[in-house]
Amino acid sequence: MATLLSLATRRFRLQPSSIPVFPFLSDYFSSHRQSPNNSVDNLDNLHYTTFGIQIQPILRSLWTIPAPRCAKLSGLHCYNLYNASISRSFGAARGEGDKWLEGDNEKKQILKASSSWVQSYLPEYMQPYAFLARMDKPIGTWLLAWPCMWSITMASTPGELPDLKMLALFGSGAVLLRGAGCTINDLFDRDIDTKVERTKSRPVASGILTPFQGISFLGLQLLLGLGILLQLNNYSRILGASSLLLVFSYPLMKRLTYWPQAYLGLTFNWGALLGWTAIRESMDLGIALPLYFSGVCWTLIYDTIYAHQDKEDDLKVGVKSTALKFGSSTKSWITGFGATCISCLTISGYNAELAWPYYPFLGAAVVQMGWQIMTVDISAKEDCNKKFNSNKWFGALVFSGILSGRLAS
């Protein structure tokens, strides 16, 4: 293993190279021979066998990806694809004068990355794809799933629990669609992501995955999503398929307008419409439309807060956001969006004839949203991220209210 990574580090320093996307094969390398200076000049000098079979020709045929140069190695390490083995091997293979992984900040990034469940439970060759789909950050899935759950529960029969099968389908769909959206976003933004501190180590931007691998993975995600969509009624199939236009065009909005967060709201809350039609096979605009717009305003709140983490980098690379648009007036703007969100939730619940338990939970959601808006420090990235992540509880409070109000109807 050390010999293979010695080859990798030497080639990183000398010329562009490639890394096999099947690192697990190295576990089976039973023997190897290297040059006297403890380095390997090229692949022809490396010989190894597995169970008596020479696999050097096989390695040549493996699907490979472009290797980042030394400047991009931090991206490779941030995702810790090779975990402890790659760290040990780089330490053994580096020569005098080479400096790898210097600085406490980079070490903290590596330790933070290695704490993810992705590194703990998934095979190494699957980890880049899991990171591409943001499976290590479930908050996006929650934010996409809650409007679906609100709508399905609101459309259920009074006095009865919502359709559990439908909740499970939409939950699975949220995982897949959110992952597909992240893949599309990273493919569009790979050049921008390399210039933004928070995103430069994403799999496509850092070179761990090629655009072709990203597109192939996207095809798989959409195929699985189609399997879920086909289990819905025809009305919902057409409505669900139409959302792909929003999903694919969203990454372009930050280049065109200061309101990409509003466009994300239109995209992320499509489930508020789809959930209703999946149960009722029709659209009640008096209920579903206010619910949808409440979600759009909610998205404008949490994603504006989120965008404040990147506002300095966004200015440098020339992309737009509501964080830049609102600036120091952000709290006034998101307070207005909050008031609109709660008003639309009230109208939707009233039109759906939800019973009184809905309103105390809605009041608790108002408190949670008010806490976010009043206490967020838009100049502190950590606090912005904390407030952004807290929105899963806002969604849960609204869902609890709709469920209680429907059961008591």
Short mmCIF file of all heavy atoms in Angstrom, two decimals, residues 66-88:
data_model
loop_
_atom_site.label_atom_id
_atom_site.label_comp_id
_atom_site.label_asym_id
_atom_site.label_seq_id
_atom_site.Cartn_x
_atom_site.Cartn_y
_atom_site.Cartn_z
N PRO A 66 -9.14 12.07 -12.81
CA PRO A 66 -8.00 12.98 -12.76
C PRO A 66 -7.57 13.24 -11.34
O PRO A 66 -8.39 13.47 -10.48
CB PRO A 66 -8.52 14.26 -13.41
CG PRO A 66 -9.71 13.83 -14.20
CD PRO A 66 -10.29 12.66 -13.47
N ALA A 67 -6.29 13.17 -11.10
CA ALA A 67 -5.78 13.43 -9.76
C ALA A 67 -5.47 14.90 -9.59
O ALA A 67 -4.86 15.52 -10.44
CB ALA A 67 -4.52 12.62 -9.53
N PRO A 68 -5.88 15.51 -8.50
CA PRO A 68 -5.52 16.89 -8.26
C PRO A 68 -4.05 17.01 -7.97
O PRO A 68 -3.44 16.09 -7.47
CB PRO A 68 -6.36 17.25 -7.02
CG PRO A 68 -6.61 15.96 -6.35
CD PRO A 68 -6.67 14.92 -7.44
N ARG A 69 -3.47 18.16 -8.28
CA ARG A 69 -2.09 18.40 -7.91
C ARG A 69 -1.99 18.66 -6.41
O ARG A 69 -2.97 18.63 -5.70
CB ARG A 69 -1.55 19.59 -8.71
CG ARG A 69 -1.35 19.27 -10.19
CD ARG A 69 -0.82 20.49 -10.92
NE ARG A 69 -0.57 20.18 -12.32
CZ ARG A 69 0.59 19.75 -12.77
NH1 ARG A 69 1.59 19.56 -11.94
NH2 ARG A 69 0.76 19.51 -14.06
N CYS A 70 -0.76 18.94 -5.97
CA CYS A 70 -0.54 19.11 -4.54
C CYS A 70 -1.50 20.13 -3.94
O CYS A 70 -1.96 19.96 -2.82
CB CYS A 70 0.89 19.55 -4.27
SG CYS A 70 2.11 18.27 -4.67
N ALA A 71 -1.80 21.19 -4.69
CA ALA A 71 -2.66 22.25 -4.15
C ALA A 71 -4.05 21.76 -3.84
O ALA A 71 -4.74 22.33 -3.02
CB ALA A 71 -2.74 23.41 -5.14
N LYS A 72 -4.48 20.66 -4.50
CA LYS A 72 -5.83 20.16 -4.29
C LYS A 72 -5.86 18.94 -3.38
O LYS A 72 -6.92 18.38 -3.15
CB LYS A 72 -6.48 19.79 -5.62
CG LYS A 72 -6.82 21.01 -6.47
CD LYS A 72 -7.64 20.59 -7.66
CE LYS A 72 -8.03 21.80 -8.50
NZ LYS A 72 -8.82 21.42 -9.68
N LEU A 73 -4.73 18.53 -2.87
CA LEU A 73 -4.73 17.34 -2.03
C LEU A 73 -5.55 17.53 -0.77
O LEU A 73 -6.08 16.59 -0.22
CB LEU A 73 -3.29 16.96 -1.65
CG LEU A 73 -2.54 16.20 -2.74
CD1 LEU A 73 -1.10 15.98 -2.31
CD2 LEU A 73 -3.19 14.88 -3.05
N SER A 74 -5.66 18.78 -0.30
CA SER A 74 -6.47 19.01 0.89
C SER A 74 -7.91 18.60 0.65
O SER A 74 -8.58 18.11 1.54
CB SER A 74 -6.42 20.49 1.28
OG SER A 74 -6.90 21.30 0.22
N GLY A 75 -8.40 18.77 -0.59
CA GLY A 75 -9.75 18.34 -0.90
C GLY A 75 -9.89 16.84 -0.78
O GLY A 75 -10.87 16.33 -0.26
N LEU A 76 -8.88 16.11 -1.26
CA LEU A 76 -8.90 14.66 -1.16
C LEU A 76 -8.91 14.23 0.28
O LEU A 76 -9.67 13.36 0.70
CB LEU A 76 -7.67 14.08 -1.88
CG LEU A 76 -7.53 12.55 -1.90
CD1 LEU A 76 -8.69 11.94 -2.67
CD2 LEU A 76 -6.22 12.15 -2.53
N HIS A 77 -8.07 14.89 1.10
CA HIS A 77 -8.00 14.51 2.50
C HIS A 77 -9.25 14.91 3.27
O HIS A 77 -9.66 14.21 4.19
CB HIS A 77 -6.78 15.16 3.15
CG HIS A 77 -5.50 14.44 2.83
ND1 HIS A 77 -5.12 13.30 3.48
CD2 HIS A 77 -4.55 14.68 1.91
CE1 HIS A 77 -3.96 12.89 2.98
NE2 HIS A 77 -3.60 13.71 2.03
N CYS A 78 -9.86 16.06 2.88
CA CYS A 78 -11.04 16.50 3.61
C CYS A 78 -12.11 15.43 3.60
O CYS A 78 -12.85 15.27 4.54
CB CYS A 78 -11.58 17.79 3.00
SG CYS A 78 -10.84 19.26 3.70
N TYR A 79 -12.22 14.72 2.49
CA TYR A 79 -13.21 13.66 2.43
C TYR A 79 -12.66 12.36 2.96
O TYR A 79 -13.39 11.38 3.09
CB TYR A 79 -13.72 13.51 0.99
CG TYR A 79 -14.68 14.59 0.67
CD1 TYR A 79 -14.26 15.69 -0.08
CD2 TYR A 79 -15.97 14.56 1.15
CE1 TYR A 79 -15.14 16.72 -0.36
CE2 TYR A 79 -16.84 15.59 0.87
CZ TYR A 79 -16.41 16.66 0.12
OH TYR A 79 -17.29 17.68 -0.14
N ASN A 80 -11.36 12.33 3.28
CA ASN A 80 -10.79 11.19 4.00
C ASN A 80 -11.08 9.87 3.29
O ASN A 80 -11.39 8.87 3.92
CB ASN A 80 -11.36 11.13 5.42
CG ASN A 80 -10.45 10.36 6.36
OD1 ASN A 80 -9.27 10.17 6.07
ND2 ASN A 80 -11.00 9.91 7.47
N LEU A 81 -11.00 9.87 1.94
CA LEU A 81 -11.42 8.72 1.17
C LEU A 81 -10.62 7.48 1.52
O LEU A 81 -11.11 6.37 1.43
CB LEU A 81 -11.27 9.01 -0.33
CG LEU A 81 -12.27 9.98 -0.89
CD1 LEU A 81 -12.01 10.19 -2.37
CD2 LEU A 81 -13.67 9.47 -0.69
N TYR A 82 -9.38 7.69 1.86
CA TYR A 82 -8.56 6.54 2.17
C TYR A 82 -8.28 6.42 3.65
O TYR A 82 -7.47 5.62 4.08
CB TYR A 82 -7.24 6.63 1.38
CG TYR A 82 -7.49 6.71 -0.09
CD1 TYR A 82 -7.34 7.93 -0.75
CD2 TYR A 82 -7.93 5.61 -0.80
CE1 TYR A 82 -7.59 8.03 -2.10
CE2 TYR A 82 -8.19 5.72 -2.15
CZ TYR A 82 -8.01 6.92 -2.80
OH TYR A 82 -8.28 7.01 -4.13
N ASN A 83 -8.97 7.27 4.45
CA ASN A 83 -8.94 7.19 5.90
C ASN A 83 -7.52 7.14 6.43
O ASN A 83 -6.63 7.81 5.95
CB ASN A 83 -9.76 5.98 6.37
CG ASN A 83 -11.21 6.16 6.01
OD1 ASN A 83 -11.76 7.25 6.14
ND2 ASN A 83 -11.84 5.13 5.52
N ALA A 84 -7.29 6.31 7.45
CA ALA A 84 -5.99 6.33 8.12
C ALA A 84 -4.87 5.83 7.22
O ALA A 84 -3.73 6.27 7.33
CB ALA A 84 -6.05 5.47 9.38
N SER A 85 -5.19 4.90 6.31
CA SER A 85 -4.14 4.31 5.49
C SER A 85 -3.46 5.33 4.61
O SER A 85 -2.25 5.31 4.45
CB SER A 85 -4.73 3.19 4.62
OG SER A 85 -5.70 3.70 3.75
N ILE A 86 -4.24 6.25 4.02
CA ILE A 86 -3.63 7.23 3.13
C ILE A 86 -2.78 8.22 3.92
O ILE A 86 -1.73 8.66 3.47
CB ILE A 86 -4.69 7.96 2.29
CG1 ILE A 86 -4.03 8.61 1.09
CG2 ILE A 86 -5.44 8.99 3.08
CD1 ILE A 86 -5.01 9.07 0.04
N SER A 87 -3.21 8.55 5.15
CA SER A 87 -2.43 9.46 5.96
C SER A 87 -1.10 8.83 6.33
O SER A 87 -0.05 9.47 6.28
CB SER A 87 -3.20 9.83 7.23
OG SER A 87 -4.41 10.46 6.90
N ARG A 88 -1.12 7.56 6.72
CA ARG A 88 0.13 6.89 7.08
C ARG A 88 1.03 6.77 5.88
O ARG A 88 2.25 6.97 5.97
CB ARG A 88 -0.18 5.49 7.64
CG ARG A 88 -0.85 5.50 9.00
CD ARG A 88 -0.78 4.12 9.63
NE ARG A 88 -1.44 3.12 8.81
CZ ARG A 88 -2.70 2.79 8.95
NH1 ARG A 88 -3.45 3.39 9.85
NH2 ARG A 88 -3.25 1.88 8.18
#
